[in-house]
Amino acid sequence: MELYKLTAHELHKLLSEKKISSLEITESIYGRIEKLDKNINSYITLAKESALQQARKADKKISAGGKIGPLSGIPVSIKDVISTKNIKTTCGSRMLENYIPIFDATVIEKFKRENTVILGKTNMDEFAMGSSTENSAYGACRNPWDTSTIPGGSSGGSAACVAADLAIMSLGSDTGGSVRQPASMCGVVGLKPTYGRVSRYGLLAFASSLDQIGTFTKDVEDTAILLNIIAGHDPLDSTSVAKEVPDYTKSLKNDAKKLKIGVPKEYFAEGIHQEVKKSIQNAVETFKKLGAEIMEISLPHTEYAVATFYIIAPAEASSNLARYVGVNFGHRTRDKGIGNIVDMYEKTRDEGFGNEVKRRIMLGTYALSSGYYEAYYLKASKVRTLIKKDFDEAFHKCDVILTPVSPTPAFKIGEKISDPLQMYLSDIFTIPINLAGLPAISIPCGFSNKGLPIGLQIIGKPFDEEKILQTAYTFEQNTEFHKKKPKID
Amino acid sequence: MKNIITDKDVEYVAKLSRLKLKEDEKHKFTEQLNNIFKYIEKLNELDISKVEPTSHAIALQNVTRKDIFKPSVSIEDALKNAPDKEQGYFRVPAIIE
């Protein structure tokens, strides 16, 4: 049996029945990584030794006859922006090439309590800044469906490794679409929970008012299982919300009756690829046939979201990244010619950061600098209010909103890398959700003529992950898109 | 449309950001940042005179915890990733000339 192909819930059943061991699953995946990842480059660091140790520990518990948790012994990968004690955490940057955290992120602690197996750290755009995973200091990641195309970003490595069966599930982070967009382009399920639903403690900060840890899985059931483990209040993250965590697996109901679905006209404007448009329209038709009530809605400030985001996110980033100066941790220049400490800071940052990171630091610094704060940062914060209000009003009428995830399927490696603005615009349908702090999921809903995956975005009310999981599960139960796999062997 | 950002602005912002840029890099960043800021001008189409700003999407109050003594990070751990250290301190180049 090819264990790497299975989902976490399928593997959990086999583990509980003692038909397989965690060690067998883990070894089968490492075998595949060693064979295939040179073509995909989804991992930056493998943690084989500690992973095998964790697998043996899980197996011991199983053979001792104890009841095991749903993710016990399940091999997962972690985006290299989440701190893992004793495992290098680079953030895709030269700046953190040798950085080994002295603590675990809260989500990692939760995994360890479950005896979940951590395979390694996945490739990403440097400091999560990018939409293609080309801005990685460790080489671009490739899309398993067509290795001449990008996997999306910034969590491209996490999406690619789940799509290629190089991990059973993965954790990523989503600031402007960095979970949903790569999930869509790699044909897997990607959830960005409500801001505050999952602790950010140990997530290296990019834009703190927008960042949220999210999930990559092979189906919606696994998303619910994974969210059950990682959700909840954490005293170590003052922005995590003390709200009860429901059992998300109870939302897995194949039922679209009484479901009110809003479809915003602004998300089908010019610029959207015809094949993407067609796939989303087909998905809407599917829900109509399943008895959902479909209504056209309007989110009038959609067209201002990208401009708003590219003030707010870089402004927050310019402050968050000020800590990388070669003093407490990370890279320090080896230049012997430096005179004073400012020289050292400047040289260190010049050597350690890539161009996209420098660009955003300068963009944010400019927007916050004396004389420009009101013209840029304050203005963007006000437009953010308008964008949020659009959603508040829409959710008076409907339960969930359906939209495309990305205006196009995966594009070619190198196609947009020299034109930052074009790259930014590829996140036009995911950015508004972060600005409003809402939960949203991307699920497979079609393929382009060239065979590249297309994703459907389902947006929910704050803390109503249950409704989007139910909607996503219903679609999955009535379609076959999620069953197709890339041919990479 | 006229340029919003000049080479001089980029130089100034790079200095504020503690980034040392090479001459050819500077021109390229100026051009790219100009394109981005020209796009951002779009926000001027909106009347926001009566709109309150949002800094967080979820309403948050100040969060405090009880003032209880707990062990903190050891000096050894804190210095584990330091690029340069000496006798339990981070070592840096001269700050005061």
Side-chain angles (χ1 to χ4, degrees):
Chain A
M1 196 181 340
E2 287 149 330
L3 295 175
Y4 54 76
K5 277 192 178 165
L6 303 181
T7 61
H9 58 87
E10 287 163 346
L11 290 168
H12 174 69
K13 194 162 175 282
L14 294 170
L15 282 170
S16 301
E17 292 164 355
K18 296 184 189 173
K19 286 189 176 141
I20 56 165
S21 72
S22 170
L23 197 63
E24 284 171 300
I25 313 169
T26 308
E27 280 175 341
S28 103
I29 293 181
Y30 275 123
R32 195 168 165 80
I33 291 172
E34 276 149 31
K35 197 173 108 198
L36 296 172
D37 203 40
K38 55 182 184 294
N39 304 327
I40 297 170
N41 200 25
S42 65
Y43 282 92
I44 293 176
T45 303
L46 294 176
K48 197 168 175 181
E49 206 175 307
S50 59
L52 294 176
Q53 211 179 332
Q54 187 69 269
R56 286 193 194 97
K57 213 166 127 189
D59 286 336
K60 228 174 174 175
K61 265 214 168 135
I62 296 165
S63 55
K67 203 171 173 285
I68 57 162
L71 293 187
S72 184
I74 305 293
V76 305
S77 66
I78 310 289
K79 186 181 184 182
D80 214 14
V81 67
I82 297 173
S83 302
T84 43
K85 190 175 178 177
N86 298 331
I87 304 174
K88 202 163 68 167
T89 299
T90 71
C91 243
S93 180
R94 284 280 163 241
M95 187 61 92
L96 296 176
E97 198 173 358
N98 300 308
Y99 171 59
I100 299 171
I102 57 167
F103 68 101
D104 276 321
T106 296
V107 289
I108 301 298
E109 265 203 29
K110 290 183 171 195
F111 276 158
K112 287 190 175 167
R113 254 179 265 151
E114 275 281 307
N115 287 312
T116 304
V117 176
I118 292 166
L119 294 162
K121 307 297 291 287
T122 58
N123 205 352
M124 57 182 284
D125 284 299
E126 186 179 4
F127 286 100
M129 297 179 185
S131 312
S132 66
T133 317
E134 291 169 285
N135 297 328
S136 165
Y138 306 92
C141 178
R142 293 167 182 275
N143 192 319
W145 293 85
D146 174 355
T147 51
S148 72
T149 67
I150 56 115
S154 65
S155 315
S158 287
C161 74
V162 173
D165 293 321
L166 305 178
I168 303 302
M169 36 175 55
S170 190
L171 288 184
S173 66
D174 190 317
T175 304
S178 283
V179 164
R180 290 158 287 151
Q181 185 254 23
S184 153
M185 289 182 169
C186 290
V188 297
V189 179
L191 172 76
K192 182 205 96 73
T194 311
Y195 184 83
R197 179 78 292 187
V198 176
S199 168
R200 291 184 295 113
Y201 179 72
L203 172 69
L204 276 79
F206 159 17
S208 309
S209 82
L210 304 161
D211 296 344
Q212 185 63 197
I213 289 176
T215 62
F216 292 91
T217 60
K218 297 178 190 179
D219 68 8
V220 177
E221 184 169 346
D222 270 8
T223 305
I225 292 166
L226 182 48
L227 187 60
N228 272 352
I229 302 291
I230 63 170
H233 176 249
D234 177 11
L236 296 172
D237 173 7
S238 59
T239 62
S240 71
V241 175
K243 212 173 162 62
E244 206 186 317
V245 180
D247 177 358
Y248 290 108
T249 59
K250 292 209 170 114
S251 313
L252 304 171
K253 286 177 283 200
N254 182 359
D255 180 13
K257 289 189 193 81
K258 288 189 216 147
L259 195 63
K260 288 185 196 153
I261 295 177
V263 181
K265 55 175 190 263
E266 291 83 2
Y267 282 63
F268 297 87
E270 55 184 311
I272 182 172
H273 195 284
Q274 282 312 307
E275 289 162 28
V276 173
K277 193 172 175 178
K278 190 92 203 96
S279 291
I280 306 303
Q281 284 167 341
N282 289 343
V284 172
E285 275 310 305
T286 301
F287 279 110
K288 201 185 254 173
K289 280 188 203 133
L290 292 168
E293 184 188 335
I294 311 289
M295 57 187 82
E296 187 184 91
I297 57 164
S298 174
L299 300 167
H301 297 94
T302 301
E303 61 173 307
Y304 302 101
V306 174
T308 304
F309 180 89
Y310 276 96
I311 293 296
I312 292 172
E316 294 185 20
S318 72
S319 162
N320 276 326
L321 271 63
R323 72 192 68 175
Y324 301 105
V325 288
V327 174
N328 304 121
F329 63 117
H331 174 74
R332 178 189 291 188
T333 182
R334 289 193 183 84
D335 194 328
K336 295 274 181 270
I338 51 163
N340 57 30
I341 194 161
V342 175
D343 255 9
M344 188 279 277
Y345 292 162
E346 288 181 342
K347 199 87 213 298
T348 294
R349 287 163 73 81
D350 181 45
E351 294 168 2
F353 290 142
N355 280 339
E356 182 58 29
V357 174
K358 287 179 186 168
R359 199 151 39 232
R360 294 207 200 180
I361 289 175
M362 288 194 285
L363 218 169
T365 304
Y366 184 80
L368 289 175
S369 65
S370 172
Y372 296 104
Y373 170 82
E374 286 192 11
Y376 291 112
Y377 185 77
L378 188 63
K379 189 180 287 165
S381 303
K382 288 182 175 181
V383 180
R384 185 176 184 180
T385 305
L386 298 175
I387 290 166
K388 189 173 178 296
K389 245 175 88 191
D390 283 356
F391 283 105
D392 291 346
E393 276 162 25
F395 281 126
H396 283 311
K397 290 176 253 163
C398 58
D399 304 314
V400 292
I401 296 172
L402 294 194
T403 76
V405 178
S406 169
T408 65
F411 43 88
K412 292 276 179 198
I413 289 176
E415 192 179 320
K416 296 187 181 180
I417 198 73
S418 55
D419 189 345
L421 184 59
Q422 281 313 307
M423 189 73 93
Y424 298 172
L425 288 169
S426 70
D427 289 335
I428 189 159
F429 301 145
T430 47
I431 277 175
I433 287 77
N434 297 76
L435 290 169
L438 302 169
I441 198 168
S442 170
I443 54 169
C445 76
F447 291 90
S448 71
N449 293 339
K450 288 180 182 148
L452 292 168
I454 295 169
L456 169 72
Q457 179 167 247
I458 306 167
I459 310 163
K461 298 173 185 172
F463 296 99
D464 197 4
E465 279 80 2
E466 290 156 288
K467 200 55 109 193
I468 57 180
L469 286 169
Q470 183 192 329
T471 310
Y473 185 76
T474 302
F475 186 78
E476 202 180 72
Q477 290 298 306
N478 291 283
T479 55
E480 301 281 313
F481 304 110
H482 66 291
K483 289 186 180 154
K484 208 169 158 187
K485 298 244 183 190
K487 290 187 185 70
I488 47 167
D489 292 90
Chain B
M1 213 194 288
K2 76 171 183 38
N3 281 346
I4 302 167
I5 311 276
T6 61
D7 275 0
K8 237 182 148 167
D9 291 322
V10 168
E11 229 166 84
Y12 174 64
V13 171
K15 194 170 161 249
L16 287 178
S17 317
R18 299 283 186 250
L19 290 167
K20 195 164 258 167
L21 301 180
K22 293 169 200 83
E23 214 43 48
D24 55 325
E25 271 183 350
K26 209 182 298 169
H27 297 312
K28 202 169 175 194
F29 280 129
T30 305
E31 190 195 315
Q32 289 170 335
L33 289 174
N34 249 311
N35 282 337
I36 297 163
F37 275 106
K38 277 180 193 163
Y39 177 77
I40 287 169
E41 295 279 288
K42 208 177 160 49
L43 297 182
N44 293 333
E45 295 167 9
L46 291 167
D47 176 15
I48 46 160
S49 52
K50 291 192 184 82
V51 182
E52 289 294 316
T54 297
S55 60
H56 264 86
I58 306 295
L60 290 166
Q61 304 289 320
N62 278 341
V63 178
T64 56
R65 62 166 172 80
K66 289 209 174 80
D67 190 15
I68 302 167
F69 174 82
K70 272 191 284 185
S72 57
V73 176
S74 70
I75 291 176
E76 196 202 346
D77 270 355
L79 289 169
K80 230 173 211 166
N81 283 287
D84 197 4
K85 58 192 161 189
E86 196 177 308
Q87 294 175 26
Y89 291 97
F90 295 103
R91 202 166 83 148
V92 294
I95 292 175
I96 303 162
E97 310 263 317

